[in-house]
């Protein structure tokens, strides 16, 4: 819960409290950084496998046959026409980012291996040098068929998710199979805050929007009684745990991270009191955390 606004500011009376909050924030960054990096690598590998299995390995082919999700938008009103134009603009923007990533790292052994041999640089070599945010936009611009394959290969959707997304999309086909796009933008907010040494404990870093369908999906997967809002760092842990499990990470490591987060939250509660804890993490933080299990 954001504590940088007057109506939700923490009650700070001693310098020791500031030092403790700083330490808790650092502990959270140490917890989340390897998790985010692990997920970023695994998700990039998964989309590379899908592209390569369909012989989409090089940029010119990917731009023509994969990053054409704008074609899934049927422009039968002015709103959808604008949406289609925006997607086309974003396609060229991402094209520029990918070529820039390649040119900036042309001296790197990975890129230089292909350049010296006068060969096209494959997408997996370029992915090493793009940010999670750029990757998120890349996935968002993929056509419906590839996004479907990606979500199905990871296992993040089931029939109930599809039914819920049908209700949410209101027959706008392009909105289907977009769970992973929203997830990536949420993860990127956290990743950037951690990487740039920002405050993360109260989620003031959040800029990505999440649909009710996405919020309900995670709540349903873990059979949670409390809503998932992404106003608490526990909600982000719920999301990372879900992906770790679906990507095959041993649950004993995820449970160890869960216990670590519990200890961090408990330390904050013991030092700062219940009022400050509720403002920073929400009244239901421990209840949510304890409901994360892997019978999903």
């Amino acid at each position: 819960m954001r504590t940088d606004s007057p109506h939700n500011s923490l009650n700070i009376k001693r310098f020791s409290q500031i030092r403790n909050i700083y330490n808790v924030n650092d502990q959270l960054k140490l917890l989340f950084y390897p998790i985010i990096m692990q997920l970023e690598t695994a998700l990039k590998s998964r989309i590379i496998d899908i592209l390569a299995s369909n012989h989409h390995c090089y940029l010119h082919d990917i731009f023509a046959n994969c990053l054409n999700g704008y074609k899934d938008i049927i422009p039968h009103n002015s709103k959808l026409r604008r949406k289609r134009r925006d997607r086309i603009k974003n396609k060229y923007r991402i094209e520029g980012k990918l070529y820039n990533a390649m040119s900036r790292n042309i001296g790197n052994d990975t890129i230089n291996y292909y350049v010296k041999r006068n060969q096209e640089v494959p997408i997996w070599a370029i992915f090493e040098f793009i940010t999670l945010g750029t990757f998120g936009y890349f996935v968002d611009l993929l056509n419906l068929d590839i996004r479907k394959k990606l979500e199905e290969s990871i296992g993040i959707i089931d029939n109930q998710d599809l039914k819920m997304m049908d209700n949410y999309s209101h027959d706008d086909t392009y909105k289907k199979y977009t769970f992973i796009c929203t997830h990536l933008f949420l993860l990127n907010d956290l990743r950037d805050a951690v990487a740039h040494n920002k405050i993360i404990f109260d989620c003031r870093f959040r800029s990505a929007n999440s649909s009710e369908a996405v919020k309900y999906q995670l709540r349903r997967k873990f059979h949670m009684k409390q809503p998932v809002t992404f106003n608490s760092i526990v909600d982000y842990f719920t999301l990372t745990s879900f992906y770790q499990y679906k990507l095959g990470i041993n649950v004993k490591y995820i449970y160890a991270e869960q216990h670590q987060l519990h200890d961090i939250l408990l330390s904050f509660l013991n030092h700062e009191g219940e009022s400050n804890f509720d403002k920073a993490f929400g009244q239901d933080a421990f209840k949510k955390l304890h409901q994360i299990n892997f019978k999903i």
Side-chain angles (χ1 to χ4, degrees):
M1 308 290 286
R2 291 189 63 149
T3 61
D4 58 341
S5 59
H7 69 277
N8 202 43
S9 59
L10 298 180
N11 183 20
I12 305 294
K13 296 181 178 179
R14 303 182 306 276
F15 178 76
S16 60
Q17 289 180 272
I18 298 175
R19 185 172 59 226
N20 177 65
I21 293 169
Y22 181 86
N23 289 337
V24 164
N25 195 68
D26 272 357
Q27 290 171 38
L28 287 170
K29 286 187 288 187
L30 287 172
L31 169 65
F32 277 104
Y33 183 75
I35 295 174
I36 294 292
M37 298 309 293
Q38 179 187 60
L39 293 180
E40 181 176 350
T41 300
L43 290 169
K44 286 179 178 179
S45 295
R46 190 62 61 97
I47 190 60
I48 286 169
D49 288 344
I50 291 171
L51 293 174
S53 67
N54 290 277
H55 309 290
H56 301 306
C57 300
Y58 303 104
L59 290 185
H60 70 279
D61 177 60
I62 289 170
F63 290 136
N65 300 305
C66 302
L67 292 186
N68 55 357
Y70 64 90
K71 294 181 179 180
D72 296 321
I73 301 175
I74 309 302
H76 51 71
N77 59 45
S78 59
K79 181 180 178 181
L80 290 174
R81 284 193 291 272
R82 285 195 302 272
K83 187 71 176 178
R84 185 182 171 103
R85 285 197 300 269
D86 288 344
R87 286 293 180 97
I88 294 172
K89 288 179 183 177
N90 284 338
K91 173 185 175 180
Y92 289 116
R93 187 167 64 86
I94 291 301
E95 180 176 357
K97 284 182 175 290
L98 293 176
Y99 278 116
N100 283 338
M102 185 168 58
S103 64
R104 285 197 311 270
N105 295 280
I106 201 164
N108 183 278
D109 289 344
T110 303
I111 301 293
N112 199 35
Y113 174 86
Y114 298 98
V115 173
K116 286 195 302 184
R117 290 162 176 77
N118 200 28
Q119 297 175 358
E120 283 192 85
V121 180
I123 189 64
W124 54 82
I126 300 170
F127 268 12
E128 288 190 29
F129 304 103
I130 66 171
T131 65
L132 184 59
T134 298
F135 178 67
Y137 279 109
F138 180 93
V139 172
D140 188 48
L141 293 168
L142 291 169
N143 61 52
L144 184 68
D145 289 340
I146 297 177
R147 288 203 314 271
K148 178 182 178 182
K149 289 177 182 177
L150 179 59
E151 292 195 351
E152 289 178 344
S153 75
I154 300 171
I156 62 171
I157 54 170
D158 56 27
N159 288 334
Q160 194 165 341
D161 293 325
L162 294 176
K163 183 178 180 181
M164 180 171 55
M165 187 54 75
D166 280 339
N167 293 333
Y168 166 72
S169 63
H170 304 298
D171 296 324
D172 290 334
T173 304
Y174 78 94
K175 290 184 179 179
K176 295 180 179 179
Y177 301 103
T178 56
F179 281 105
I180 193 168
C181 305
T182 303
H183 294 160
L184 284 170
F185 292 134
L186 288 164
L187 291 173
N188 184 61
D189 282 346
L190 176 58
R191 189 260 182 210
D192 282 352
V194 171
H196 296 103
N197 204 28
K198 296 180 180 178
I199 294 172
I200 70 165
F201 76 92
D202 61 356
C203 294
R204 67 182 64 184
F205 58 82
R206 182 169 72 92
S207 64
N209 293 320
S210 54
S211 68
E212 292 304 314
V214 167
K215 294 174 183 176
Y216 179 73
Q217 180 202 29
L218 286 175
R219 184 181 181 184
R220 184 178 65 81
K221 295 291 187 185
F222 288 108
H223 309 289
M224 287 182 166
K225 297 178 181 179
Q226 294 76 24
V228 173
T229 62
F230 293 102
N231 290 322
S232 169
I233 200 69
V234 176
D235 295 334
Y236 283 86
F237 184 79
T238 304
L239 178 59
T240 59
S241 297
F242 176 58
Y243 267 85
Q244 284 181 298
Y245 176 73
K246 289 298 183 180
L247 288 166
I249 307 302
N250 193 313
V251 295
K252 72 177 183 179
Y253 296 115
I254 310 175
Y255 280 130
E257 292 160 352
Q258 184 182 27
H259 292 316
Q260 188 179 347
L261 179 56
H262 174 275
D263 291 344
I264 295 170
L265 297 182
L266 187 61
S267 172
F268 188 100
L269 176 62
N270 290 337
H271 282 89
E272 302 303 324
E274 187 173 340
S275 176
N276 279 347
F277 180 88
D278 290 347
K279 290 178 180 178
F281 301 105
Q283 295 178 346
D284 53 6
F286 283 114
K287 291 179 181 178
K288 283 184 180 179
L289 186 60
H290 295 155
Q291 288 177 72
I292 296 175
N293 64 76
F294 300 100
K295 299 175 183 178
I296 56 178

